[in-house]
Amino acid sequence: MCGIMGFNFQTNHPWLLRLLHHRGPDNASKVEFDKFTLIHNRLSIVDHNSKSNQPFISSCGRYTIVFNGEIYNYKELKNKLKNEHDFITDSDTEVLLYLYIKYDKECLKYLRGMFAFAIYDKVKDRLFCARDRVGIKPFIYYFKDGKFIFGSELNSIFSLLDTKPKINQESILQYLKYLYIPYPNTIFEHIYKLSPAHILIYENKSIKIEKYWDSDSFIGKNNGLTESEILCKLDILFNESIKLQMISDVELCSFLSGGIDSSLIFYYIHMLYYRDIMSMANSFEVRFPLIDHKIIEFMTSIDSKWRIKNGQTKYLMRKLLTGKIPDSIINKKKLGLNPPIGIWLKNDLRILILNYLSKEIIEKRGLFEYGFIQQMIYEFDNNIKDRSLNIWALIVLEEWFRQYVDN
């Protein structure tokens, strides 16, 4: 992973380059323009050459990119552009920049990968930003009273605000209902998450957001395919996706849980593209070959009856792996990873309820009526209703306030 950041003003704070160091320890750089500043912290995965450091400026000097992610098909794209540009690096960053220069927003349809990036055109004073189709890479932005800031994390935005923004009350309700905050909201007012498969353009002191890809547009396009035809196509797509995502200038490893998904990935890695297994302490990149957008498009296009067959989930994946891995793995029941929160909260973690959800703390925070919290704890303690996840969500929320708001 890398860290990206930018804003429509200038500042001389020396600590800006250190804010996202944990996301990219290999290099930190900043480029300033009259009306914009771009910052990048790099974790080198492809092309370790310092010429690939970012922010990366085009040869004409007009365009500058900051990019977090990986374009898996960049070598193919580079080959198509090689007659138009003299490339000075072996990086996907340079390919992405020149692809944008040629195709503008249409460049996105050529990309296979995970990405969040911003490209500044200093002639037009225009910033083009985009996030990958399924939202693997983060992109957060702040926009109020003409001030625009974007970054990989909330902390990078906080650092440039005079005061922390107000809590978004709607987001609190969403969090308690869903245990996460849906797009585009964040927990703060005026700070948003760019939704997956969306672009953001900052120009003339305003922003415009639009969607560039929708899996629903593929529904029904391959309803007539037979099972054997579907399996043949899936075999090609899985093989292709994993081959593309094995491209790296550092060693790779595969997480192996013993379930269908990881077993399928490991099978294809072993048959065509195996590398040594290693572990990394931090600042590592995780790839997701089973949610390559080509696979999503194809699975959306076939008849929905193939999703579950005869009560069996992941039917097509199991069928594809039959005879290739042991039946004991194919037929193994799904093992949940849900921790026993209820048991913990009634025993070893009971102290958290006292420390985080007491009458004094709830009333001081001012978000909830204590009677509501008290009733929830009563129902939990007396086994009237399982409120363990609700109570845990409230504990996590209070701890978040202590770390990000109180401090």
Side-chain angles (χ1 to χ4, degrees), residues 86-335:
D86 293 323
F87 289 92
I88 62 172
T89 76
D90 292 321
S91 70
D92 50 356
T93 304
E94 187 178 14
V95 173
L96 175 56
L97 178 58
Y98 286 117
L99 198 71
Y100 170 78
I101 292 172
K102 181 174 182 178
Y103 295 109
D104 199 81
K105 67 180 181 180
E106 294 301 312
C107 71
L108 296 168
K109 68 183 181 183
Y110 297 98
L111 303 180
R112 293 185 72 171
M114 52 182 181
F115 51 83
F117 68 86
I119 297 176
Y120 182 64
D121 179 343
K122 72 177 185 180
V123 173
K124 292 184 177 180
D125 186 28
R126 177 180 187 260
L127 187 78
F128 177 88
C129 311
R131 192 174 183 201
D132 63 72
R133 296 172 181 85
V134 293
I136 297 173
K137 291 300 180 182
F139 190 100
I140 303 169
Y141 66 96
Y142 170 91
F143 187 59
K144 183 186 178 185
D145 298 331
K147 178 177 279 190
F148 176 73
I149 309 169
F150 73 87
S152 299
E153 297 180 0
L154 280 171
N155 279 347
S156 58
I157 293 176
F158 289 159
S159 66
L160 293 168
L161 299 179
D162 296 328
T163 59
K164 285 187 178 178
K166 294 180 180 179
I167 297 297
N168 186 328
Q169 298 298 324
E170 179 188 11
S171 296
I172 294 289
L173 296 177
Q174 290 176 327
Y175 168 71
L176 294 176
K177 182 177 181 179
Y178 305 117
L179 301 182
Y180 76 101
I181 299 175
Y183 298 104
N185 285 350
T186 69
I187 202 166
F188 292 104
E189 292 182 355
H190 308 296
I191 298 181
Y192 307 94
K193 295 172 288 192
L194 183 61
S195 298
H198 279 68
I199 63 174
L200 179 154
I201 297 174
Y202 174 86
E203 191 173 19
N204 298 324
K205 298 182 180 180
S206 64
I207 61 174
K208 180 176 70 173
I209 296 174
E210 61 183 74
K211 194 170 188 177
Y212 68 85
W213 179 82
D214 190 346
S215 61
D216 287 352
S217 65
F218 296 88
I219 292 176
K221 288 189 174 181
N222 286 303
N223 270 352
L225 293 183
T226 65
E227 179 176 309
S228 60
E229 289 172 328
I230 292 172
L231 291 174
C232 181
K233 180 63 174 179
L234 275 180
D235 179 57
I236 293 171
L237 287 173
F238 285 142
N239 190 53
E240 183 179 76
S241 175
I242 292 169
K243 177 182 178 181
L244 283 172
Q245 298 197 30
M246 290 296 293
I247 295 173
S248 175
D249 289 336
V250 296
E251 293 178 299
L252 301 176
C253 70
S254 175
F255 295 108
L256 185 60
S257 68
I260 289 293
D261 294 359
S262 63
S263 297
L264 183 144
I265 293 171
F266 204 66
Y267 167 77
Y268 281 97
I269 291 174
H270 251 293
M271 291 305 295
L272 300 159
Y273 317 104
Y274 180 76
R275 299 273 188 95
D276 292 338
I277 293 177
M278 64 171 293
S279 63
M280 301 176 70
N282 44 46
S283 294
F284 63 89
E285 190 85 90
V286 179
R287 298 173 174 180
F288 305 87
L290 297 189
I291 53 174
D292 177 84
H293 77 277
K294 294 292 186 181
I295 295 175
I296 294 174
E297 290 170 358
F298 180 70
M299 289 301 297
T300 303
S301 74
I302 64 176
D303 197 310
S304 60
K305 70 181 181 181
W306 298 111
R307 311 276 173 79
I308 300 176
K309 187 173 182 180
N310 300 323
Q312 188 179 55
T313 60
K314 301 184 180 180
Y315 171 77
L316 292 172
M317 294 175 72
R318 297 176 195 274
K319 192 75 174 178
L320 189 62
L321 289 173
T322 299
K324 299 174 180 176
I325 66 173
D327 290 344
S328 59
I329 296 177
I330 294 174
N331 300 320
K332 186 170 67 174
K333 291 184 178 180
K334 177 72 175 179
L335 299 177

Side-chain angles (χ1 to χ4, degrees), residues 42 220 406:
R42 184 185 182 196
D406 298 347

